[in-house]
Amino acid sequence: MPDDLPKSVGFSRRHLLKAVGVAVGALSASLPGRASAQSQDDGHGWGWGHCFLRGTLIRGVDGYRPIETLAVGDLLPTRFSGIAAIRKAIRYTVCRDDAGSWPEECRLVCISAGALGDNIPARDLFVTNAHAVFLDGVLVPVGSLVNGKTISFDERTGLAALEYFYVAFDSHDVIDAEGAFCESHRDAAMQACAPGLAFNGGRSQLSSHLRSAIAPLIDRRRPLDRIRDGLEARAGL
């Protein structure tokens, strides 16, 4: 127990500081003058912002290909449907708003090589904030896993626009992107291929960090708390 005490204290302190940061961020967001951007949504909380950046390598039946080279009818290995044909292959461009901010769901996130597991992803993976990765049997938007080190926002300073792509099948599924399992696009009528977990705003993030802070004394963490904490431990945080 004494050997574990310094580590436990550090773990708790880190999450308490993050809880304070979430509270301060929520306060600043409520002040006038904060930039905002409109985005569409598919009615399930998984809208048009669930996409890959140009250049992302997607596993096909004959190896990895840049996502921008995929087309309707191409076959991809999927987690739940086996080999499936692409029914939609969409490209769109996202621009900053008048305040210079990206739409929230389309903020670019970098998942560093090895952030999710050994050689997972195999190289840095760039997706939108709302795009979900498949971990421990659930889908988690990467925005809920940002830790500022191995999973972090990439503001692409100096660029006014970003080009994103997504693919969709007859049903929602999971595909291999750079060696990591990520969701395909989901239309409003589609049932999710797996349960989804996400932090719904600052209050849920605050509660999560408080649960993690007291975990060394009494562990009341929920599955998403544990997933995030495990990835942060992997990052050396």
Side-chain angles (χ1 to χ4, degrees), residues 157-222:
T157 304
L159 291 182
L162 293 171
E163 193 174 18
Y164 287 121
F165 297 79
Y166 71 75
V167 295
F169 305 97
D170 286 334
S171 58
H172 189 225
D173 220 307
V174 169
I175 59 176
D176 180 333
E178 305 285 6
F181 289 128
C182 302
E183 67 169 339
S184 64
H185 183 75
R186 177 157 71 99
D187 290 335
M190 287 183 181
Q191 182 177 355
C193 64
L197 298 177
F199 295 124
N200 299 312
R203 179 174 295 182
S204 65
Q205 289 181 317
L206 176 62
S207 298
S208 172
H209 286 300
L210 291 176
R211 287 192 295 269
S212 291
I214 66 170
L217 297 176
I218 179 170
D219 196 345
R220 297 286 178 84
R221 289 178 298 170
R222 298 175 181 176

Side-chain angles (χ1 to χ4, degrees), residues 3 7 15-16 32 57 71 105 147 155 181 184 186-187 189 194 233:
D3 291 340
K7 183 183 295 186
H15 283 285
L16 284 173
L57 297 181
E105 281 197 345
N147 57 41
E155 299 298 342
F181 289 128
S184 64
R186 177 157 71 99
D187 290 335

Side-chain angles (χ1 to χ4, degrees), residues 5-219:
L5 186 58
K7 183 183 295 186
S8 298
V9 170
F11 180 84
S12 297
R13 182 185 296 117
R14 173 164 56 81
H15 283 285
L16 284 173
L17 290 173
K18 287 191 175 185
V20 171
V22 169
V24 171
L27 177 61
S28 65
S30 67
L31 297 176
R34 181 175 173 82
S36 63
Q38 294 183 343
S39 64
Q40 300 173 4
D41 189 272
D42 65 3
H44 294 270
W46 308 80
W48 62 291
H50 308 91
C51 305
F52 301 97
L53 188 67
R54 170 181 277 276
T56 301
L57 297 181
I58 304 297
R59 185 187 174 201
V61 292
D62 297 318
Y64 287 89
R65 293 171 52 186
I67 191 167
E68 62 269 22
T69 69
L70 298 176
V72 171
D74 286 348
L75 300 176
L76 298 183
T78 67
R79 174 68 174 77
F80 297 101
S81 303
I83 303 299
I86 296 175
R87 297 307 181 201
K88 292 182 182 179
I90 303 297
R91 165 196 170 277
Y92 68 92
T93 300
V94 172
C95 299
R96 295 182 189 271
D97 64 15
D98 293 339
S101 300
W102 301 108
E104 183 60 29
E105 281 197 345
C106 295
R107 288 183 69 188
L108 185 63
V109 174
C110 174
I111 305 174
S112 299
L116 306 180
D118 293 342
N119 206 38
I120 304 173
R123 65 173 193 163
D124 292 354
L125 170 62
F126 296 91
V127 297
T128 48
N129 181 34
H131 202 120
V133 292
F134 186 65
L135 297 169
D136 294 349
V138 297
L139 290 164
V140 184
V142 293
S144 292
L145 302 174
V146 167
N147 57 41
K149 185 176 180 181
T150 59
I151 305 175
S152 57
F153 288 111
D154 184 337
E155 299 298 342
R156 293 292 164 119
T157 304
L159 291 182
L162 293 171
E163 193 174 18
Y164 287 121
F165 297 79
Y166 71 75
V167 295
F169 305 97
D170 286 334
S171 58
H172 189 225
D173 220 307
V174 169
I175 59 176
D176 180 333
E178 305 285 6
F181 289 128
C182 302
E183 67 169 339
S184 64
H185 183 75
R186 177 157 71 99
D187 290 335
M190 287 183 181
Q191 182 177 355
C193 64
L197 298 177
F199 295 124
N200 299 312
R203 179 174 295 182
S204 65
Q205 289 181 317
L206 176 62
S207 298
S208 172
H209 286 300
L210 291 176
R211 287 192 295 269
S212 291
I214 66 170
L217 297 176
I218 179 170
D219 196 345

